[in-house]
Amino acid sequence: MSEPTYPADTFNSPTPVLSVSPVALPAPGRAVDLELRVSAPVSGSGLPVILLSHGQGHSHNLSSLNGYAPLANFWAAHGFVVIQPTHLSSTTLSLAPDTPGAPMHWRSRVEDMKRILDQFDAIEDAVPQLLGRLDHSKVAVVGHSMGGHTASLLLGARLTDPEDGTEVNLTEPRIKAGVLLAAPGRGGDALIESMAESFPFLTTPDFSQMTTPTLVVAGDKDASAHLTVRGPEWHTDPYHLSPGPKSLLTLFGAEHGLGGISGYDVAETTDESPERVSAVQRLTWAYLRTALYAGDSAWGSARAALTADPDALGTIESK
C-alpha cells in the first residue's frame, strides 16, 4: 500500500528541530511539578502549538514526555511547536497508588493541559530559543489512547464524575482543533465489566457536545479486547457520536499502536509499519494545518490524494 502524496516540496526539506526537556512548571496542589518536553523548529515565527497527551502503554518511558518521538519530531520539523507533559498517570513518576486521582488521573491530565496554556510565557522564558515565536491563538491538542480521552474532554466531550455524580465540562476554548488517536469510545455496555469497575470514569462519556473541529484516527484491527466488547468500531465513536465538523481516518490493518507512533522500534507495537506511521504523521499534520489556518489547502489535497490512490493505507470520511 502506498502513502498519500503531497506537493513535492512539502516534506522534502524538514527544518532541524530543537528539543528541550525537562521544562518544569510549578504546580501547587499537584503531587509533583509538571514536567514538559518542548520540541520546535529552529527557525520561524508565529508558530502554531500542539499539546500532545501520552497514553498508558506497557513500556516505562513511552507514557511520559519521552514518548511519541515519531510524531513530535515530524510535526516540529514541519512548523509546529510540540509540548508534551508527563501526566501523573505515568509510571516514570512512581507515585504511591493512593495518590488522589490514581491510577489514571483523568481530571489531572486535563488540568495539565490547561496549566500549559496558562503558562506559555513561563515556557518561553524557560526555553529562550522560543521567545516571541509562538502563536498563542493557534493551539491544537492530540492524544493517543488514554491521551485521546484527555484530548476529547478538552475538545468538548463530557462525562459524569463517578465520585459525586455531577456532569464534568472541561472544554478548553483556547484549543481550536484536535486529533484523537485510537481514543476510547462510548461507555455503558460497550465496556468489559472489569474495565467499567476499575475505571468508572470511562462508563459515561458524552460526545454530543464535542463541537471543536477534530480528526478521529482509528485502526480497523484495533480490537482493544481488554477494554471493549465492540471491537475496532469502538474507537470511531468520538466521530459518529459527536456533531461536525469532524473527520474520520480509518487505517487498514492498524492496531492500537497505529503502526508505531508511540516510539521508534517499540517492542509493544503489534502492527509495526513505517509506512503507516508516515501516513499518520502527514495526514494529522495536513488536518491541523487546515484546521488552524483558514483557506489552507493541505487537508483537501491530502484527502484527494488518499481517495485517488488504489493502494491507499486507509479511508477518510467527514461531516
Side-chain angles (χ1 to χ4, degrees), residues 7-315:
D9 60 348
T10 302
F11 301 117
N12 289 347
S13 301
T15 302
V17 170
L18 165 75
S19 185
V20 179
S21 70
V23 174
L25 296 181
R30 197 175 184 268
V32 294
D33 286 345
L34 176 59
E35 291 194 340
L36 315 172
R37 176 180 296 276
V38 182
S39 302
V42 297
S43 60
S45 60
L47 300 173
V49 179
I50 294 174
L51 308 184
L52 176 55
S53 181
H54 63 73
Q56 291 300 128
H58 301 299
S59 298
H60 188 70
N61 281 286
L62 295 181
S63 296
S64 76
L65 59 77
N66 291 314
Y68 296 87
L71 297 182
N73 291 345
F74 181 89
W75 293 330
H78 295 92
F80 284 90
V81 174
V82 184
I83 302 178
Q84 299 173 254
T86 295
H87 296 302
L88 292 181
S89 57
S90 175
T91 57
T92 63
L93 298 178
S94 301
L95 297 180
D98 61 352
T99 302
M104 289 301 180
H105 298 275
W106 63 267
R107 187 186 289 269
S108 172
R109 282 170 148 269
V110 177
E111 292 169 348
D112 289 344
M113 300 310 218
K114 291 176 178 284
R115 194 182 301 271
I116 292 168
L117 293 170
D118 291 341
Q119 298 195 48
F120 269 162
D121 290 343
I123 293 170
E124 291 187 43
D125 288 342
V127 187
Q129 298 89 338
L130 289 182
L131 194 61
R133 298 177 60 207
L134 304 188
D135 185 339
H136 296 193
S137 71
K138 289 184 168 54
V139 181
V141 64
V142 179
H144 176 234
S145 193
M146 182 60 194
H149 182 271
T150 302
S152 71
L153 293 175
L154 290 159
L155 295 166
R158 313 291 169 86
L159 59 76
T160 300
D161 191 324
E163 297 294 325
D164 60 18
T166 59
E167 182 185 68
V168 176
N169 176 10
L170 296 170
T171 308
E172 178 47 72
R174 289 173 290 184
I175 292 175
K176 306 304 182 184
V179 177
L180 305 181
L181 302 165
R186 68 176 180 86
D189 60 5
L191 296 178
I192 65 170
E193 185 175 351
S194 62
M195 190 58 55
E197 292 174 353
S198 298
F199 306 113
F201 68 89
L202 289 175
T203 64
T204 58
D206 176 5
F207 300 106
S208 65
Q209 298 181 74
M210 192 175 76
T211 58
T212 308
T214 301
L215 171 64
V216 177
V217 182
D220 69 358
K221 302 299 182 185
D222 183 7
S224 296
H226 64 297
L227 292 171
T228 182
V229 299
R230 293 186 59 234
E233 68 177 19
W234 185 61
H235 296 288
T236 69
D237 284 347
Y239 172 79
H240 292 295
L241 300 180
S242 66
K246 299 289 182 300
S247 290
L248 172 65
L249 167 62
T250 302
L251 294 169
F252 302 146
E255 299 178 13
H256 202 60
L258 302 177
I261 61 170
S262 63
Y264 296 115
D265 298 320
V266 174
E268 71 185 40
T269 299
T270 57
D271 64 331
E272 186 171 19
S273 168
E275 296 79 14
R276 189 174 295 129
V277 171
S278 179
V280 173
Q281 291 169 331
R282 297 175 181 216
L283 288 164
T284 54
W285 175 89
Y287 179 84
L288 292 177
R289 281 290 309 179
T290 297
L292 294 176
Y293 294 93
D296 185 278
S297 63
W299 181 237
S301 298
R303 289 194 60 182
L306 196 71
T307 301
D309 187 351
D311 298 315
L313 290 165
T315 61

